[in-house]
Amino acid sequence: MLQIPKEELKSILVKDGLLSPEKFDSFLKKAGNETASLARLIITDGIMSEEYYNTLSAKYYGVPLVELDPATIDKKVMQLIDERFAQQRYIIPFRKQKDGSIDLAMEDPSDLATIQFLERKFNARINPYLAPKKSFGPVLALYGKQQVESFKKIIEKNIQASLKLGAKDEEEAAEEIPIIAITDNLVSYAFALGASDIHIEALEKEILVRFRIDGVLKEIIRMQKEIHPAIVARFKILGRAKLDEHQKPQDGRIRYKIGDENVDLRLSILPTLYGEKVELRILGSAGHILNFEDLGMYSETVEVLERNVTKSFGIVLITGPTGSGKSTTLYAILNMVNRPEVNIVTVEDPIEYNMQYINQTQLNPTAGVTFATALRSILRQDPNIIMVGEIRDNETAEISVHAALTGHLVLSSLHTNDAPTAIPRLSDMDIPPFLISAVINAIMAQRLVRRLCATCMYSYKISEESRKEIKDQVKALGVEDEINIPEIFFRAKGCEACNNSGYKGRMGIFEILEANEEIREYIVDKTFTLNELRKLARKSGMKSMFEDGLKKAREGKTSLEELMRVIRE
């Protein structure tokens, strides 16, 4: 929701007789001085309508107000920008004027950087309009409808063409144009939908294709079983796997050109009862490495992280279960510290993003390249910063600690449920407490929650039952401080823009433990307990992941139900 400065909003609402100055101040206190939450509170209370607030916003920013209608949108003009950019910025070019200028609907018409970028891109003047966020959904869904129709037509057309070509051996069939078109469209469609994985599964009588989107598997299409061998063979050729091997699992790596981007895929082939299953992990490209804000970090978390990853030595750990976004955060850190004067070397399994100016090493156990052996070689490469994909064993832990002690900054990940638990986890790997105390800079734990669809999101007042649930969760986490529980939370109904799921995209929830002198001293204390470490960390300013998520739920970035689901997993 576009923000009007609180003093300006107060003046307008009091002048229009909608509330008294005292009533406005009480809303301001509830909102915690956040203007967006303030407006939402006043709207939820029924004092003003969302339409009224949009009118005020348009007047304040000096732009026309437009209600987007899919029936009146110029489809050719809309296609001037791709769906991903439109969704990220909540912008839609909807009309072209006779003088060549383009009318642009924006959720935030004060975003001058985007306006200037598009003026350079189109070589035309941009006329910004304010559009309510809820009106973007049906229009953004037009992209999806066109993609679905185009994808299904192409796939069906090429399946029929492949079947008409008749029986051939797998390798020959895999090089035919229809099979190439099918596999290429599967990958490009998955990329367009923001999928992280493609599953091509052999059933008894057909092929099932599913994409993992926002952490959830969704069925995309079913195809005739006759083309299954050719599709598997095509991915084997691309991933340099053995075509004549059908009884053993195989791995590979594929690079696809999608539009202007190079996209890397990790290939896994697994023999199953009805044929080989293909799994493709979409690794993206270096151009899609997210910054800390995109990951969902608040400024106070970013400050602590930046302070510790810019030190010349020590260890920074990112912890969490499998699939919690640890690698993405590590790449965001590498992206930040990547400078010409710094030598950065990594050992990864797998290399998910190919990063310029960073020396990346792929694990290869069959060739004797493990985390431990690669680390020994890396230390002879005169590195400033070392990134170890994961500390899995005692040997890797020992070498990482040694590297941190000898003047290197080490970045790595660890499987623990929260940040403080990383300390006893390192102790379990036989690292002495005095060494842990000496090298640890910071430990950040994280999880991924789904983002609420901004198009169909609505606010509601929390029930007493939900309030009790939050208090119980806080108590279960061992948080003794009183946490301010907001009155207003958000849900989403489900709409065309989010495929009726109520969610679109994911973000992180975080907690970060910074090793100050008090914490370092406690790590070597013989009376050390994990509960006391947690208390000491909170005393030093650490907020739990649950508190971070609760703030995001209060701001409408995720739902309370999603937060509870993720925290309890």
Side-chain angles (χ1 to χ4, degrees):
M1 181 174 284
L2 197 60
Q3 296 184 17
I4 300 174
K6 53 182 178 288
E7 289 304 324
E8 182 77 16
L9 182 60
K10 180 178 182 179
S11 174
I12 294 169
L13 296 182
V14 171
K15 183 181 176 183
D16 286 357
L18 293 177
L19 43 63
S20 66
E22 293 77 23
K23 183 68 173 175
F24 183 91
D25 291 341
S26 71
F27 278 117
L28 186 59
K29 188 176 180 181
K30 283 182 184 178
N33 291 314
E34 294 177 19
T35 310
S37 298
L38 170 66
R40 180 61 64 186
L41 268 175
I42 297 172
I43 290 168
T44 303
D45 211 60
I47 290 173
M48 68 176 176
S49 67
E50 194 153 344
E51 291 74 18
Y52 173 78
Y53 184 76
N54 289 330
T55 303
L56 294 182
S57 300
K59 186 177 180 181
Y60 178 79
Y61 285 96
V63 295
L65 183 65
V66 64
E67 189 78 30
L68 292 172
D69 182 355
T72 60
I73 295 287
D74 187 325
K75 307 297 188 300
K76 288 184 180 178
V77 174
M78 187 185 81
Q79 293 297 334
L80 288 172
I81 61 172
D82 63 36
E83 181 185 12
R84 185 171 297 197
F85 190 67
Q87 287 178 339
Q88 285 174 344
R89 304 299 175 97
Y90 272 89
I91 56 173
I92 292 287
F94 64 94
R95 187 169 56 210
K96 194 169 187 177
Q97 298 290 349
K98 290 181 180 179
D99 63 0
S101 65
I102 295 169
D103 294 342
L104 182 73
M106 307 180 72
E107 191 245 338
D108 181 7
S110 67
D111 184 1
L112 297 179
T114 295
I115 293 171
Q116 290 167 359
F117 167 77
L118 292 177
E119 285 184 333
R120 289 193 299 270
K121 179 180 173 69
F122 302 148
N123 194 26
R125 192 178 80 249
I126 294 293
N127 308 313
Y129 284 71
L130 170 64
K133 184 171 274 191
K134 65 180 182 180
S135 73
F136 279 88
V139 179
L140 288 171
L142 292 176
Y143 283 107
K145 283 180 180 177
Q146 290 172 346
Q147 282 179 346
V148 171
E149 289 170 6
S150 174
F151 168 74
K152 288 187 174 178
K153 282 180 183 176
I154 291 170
I155 294 293
E156 188 56 40
K157 176 184 173 183
N158 284 286
I159 287 173
Q160 297 307 319
S162 178
L163 293 172
K164 283 179 183 177
L165 289 172
K168 298 181 179 181
D169 66 57
E170 292 175 11
E171 186 172 3
E172 190 178 348
E175 298 291 355
E176 294 285 358
I177 289 174
I179 294 299
I180 293 173
I182 289 169
T183 54
D184 286 357
N185 274 278
L186 282 174
V187 173
S188 59
Y189 186 52
F191 184 74
L193 292 180
S196 62
D197 297 84
I198 302 169
H199 294 256
I200 302 171
E201 303 166 64
L203 306 180
E204 185 178 5
K205 296 180 180 179
E206 57 191 347
I207 308 167
L208 171 64
V209 177
R210 296 190 290 174
F211 294 168
R212 189 174 294 280
I213 302 170
D214 295 338
V216 179
L217 272 175
K218 295 182 180 178
E219 181 176 327
I220 300 299
I221 197 169
R222 291 177 183 243
M223 299 184 286
Q224 286 88 332
K225 187 70 178 284
E226 289 85 347
I227 64 170
H228 178 257
I231 288 176
V232 174
R234 178 63 187 164
F235 283 117
K236 282 183 177 180
I237 290 169
L238 294 172
R240 298 182 181 180
K242 294 179 181 178
L243 274 172
D244 58 351
E245 178 59 74
H246 302 286
Q247 303 304 318
K248 293 180 182 178
Q250 295 192 74
D251 295 319
R253 194 178 180 95
I254 302 169
R255 170 157 287 191
Y256 258 94
K257 185 81 172 178
I258 299 177
D260 297 326
E261 295 188 57
N262 289 317
V263 178
D264 288 330
L265 308 175
R266 186 179 72 202
L267 169 69
S268 174
I269 296 174
L270 181 72
T272 66
L273 179 62
Y274 295 113
E276 291 171 288
K277 177 183 185 295
V278 176
E279 204 281 342
L280 295 157
R281 166 65 59 87
I282 301 176
L283 303 176
S285 64
H288 273 93
I289 294 175
L290 302 175
N291 58 40
F292 296 140
E293 185 180 351
D294 291 332
L295 293 173
M297 286 187 208
Y298 287 116
S299 57
E300 53 267 31
T301 304
V302 173
E303 285 172 16
V304 176
L305 190 58
E306 288 184 343
R307 185 161 61 238
N308 286 282
V309 299
T310 52
K311 291 179 178 177
S312 58
F313 65 92
I315 294 178
V316 174
L317 291 174
I318 310 299
T319 78
T322 301
S324 59
K326 299 187 297 295
S327 295
T328 303
T329 300
L330 283 170
Y331 279 112
I333 293 171
L334 287 178
N335 200 41
M336 191 203 83
V337 298
N338 190 8
R339 304 186 305 277
E341 66 271 19
V342 176
N343 179 22
I344 303 174
V345 188
T346 76
V347 53
E348 307 172 51
D349 183 29
I351 296 172
E352 295 194 18
Y353 294 92
N354 180 18
M355 298 187 71
Q356 200 171 20
Y357 309 123
I358 291 180
N359 306 286
Q360 296 172 269
T361 306
Q362 170 69 51
L363 227 63
N364 187 356
T366 57
V369 183
T370 65
F371 280 123
T373 57
L375 258 175
R376 287 194 182 93
S377 298
I378 284 171
L379 288 170
R380 294 192 286 272
Q381 289 287 322
D382 185 33
N384 299 103
I385 299 172
I386 300 168
M387 196 270 268
V388 184
E390 184 184 340
I391 295 177
R392 295 176 180 171
D393 52 55
N394 166 262
E395 192 177 9
T396 307
E398 280 185 352
I399 301 169
S400 298
V401 168
H402 173 73
L405 284 170
T406 53
H408 305 90
L409 178 69
V410 178
L411 309 171
S412 192
S413 70
L414 204 62
H415 282 262
T416 65
N417 287 328
D418 60 15
T421 308
I423 302 299
R425 179 78 181 94
L426 289 173
S427 293
D428 289 343
M429 293 181 178
D430 296 327
I431 305 299
F434 74 91
L435 287 181
I436 298 173
S437 172
V439 299
I440 286 293
N441 289 352
I443 304 163
M444 186 166 76
Q446 64 180 74
R447 296 283 193 285
L448 291 177
V449 295
R450 289 178 293 172
R451 293 178 184 266
L452 274 174
C453 173
T455 304
C456 58
M457 181 177 77
Y458 66 93
S459 59
Y460 69 97
K461 287 188 177 181
I462 189 173
S463 67
E464 282 306 314
E465 185 181 346
S466 295
R467 187 178 292 275
K468 183 180 182 299
E469 193 177 11
I470 294 172
K471 287 180 178 178
D472 290 344
Q473 184 63 46
V474 170
K475 190 176 179 181
L477 292 168
V479 177
E480 295 179 352
D481 308 348
E482 184 65 31
I483 289 181
N484 181 35
I485 300 173
E487 290 186 16
I488 302 296
F489 281 95
F490 298 83
R491 292 190 181 112
K493 298 173 184 176
C495 64
E496 289 182 322
C498 60
N499 199 22
N500 294 311
S501 69
Y503 298 95
K504 199 167 184 64
R506 290 192 291 177
M507 67 190 304
I509 56 173
F510 307 91
E511 67 182 29
I512 186 163
L513 185 159
E514 186 173 24
N516 57 27
E517 285 308 310
E518 195 174 4
I519 286 174
R520 292 185 195 279
E521 287 175 10
Y522 187 67
I523 289 171
V524 298
D525 195 310
K526 290 181 179 179
T527 64
F528 176 92
T529 66
L530 188 54
N531 282 337
E532 286 302 315
L533 178 62
R534 288 193 180 103
K535 290 177 183 177
L536 192 58
R538 287 191 62 78
K539 181 183 170 186
S540 301
M542 186 188 85
K543 300 291 184 186
S544 69
M545 273 186 290
F546 181 70
E547 289 171 278
D548 187 72
L550 197 62
K551 185 177 180 183
K552 290 179 168 90
R554 184 187 75 190
E555 294 172 353
K557 294 176 179 177
T558 190
S559 68
L560 185 58
E561 292 82 2
E562 172 71 359
L563 173 62
M564 290 297 189
R565 179 187 70 82
V566 169
I567 286 292
R568 288 169 177 171
E569 280 183 348

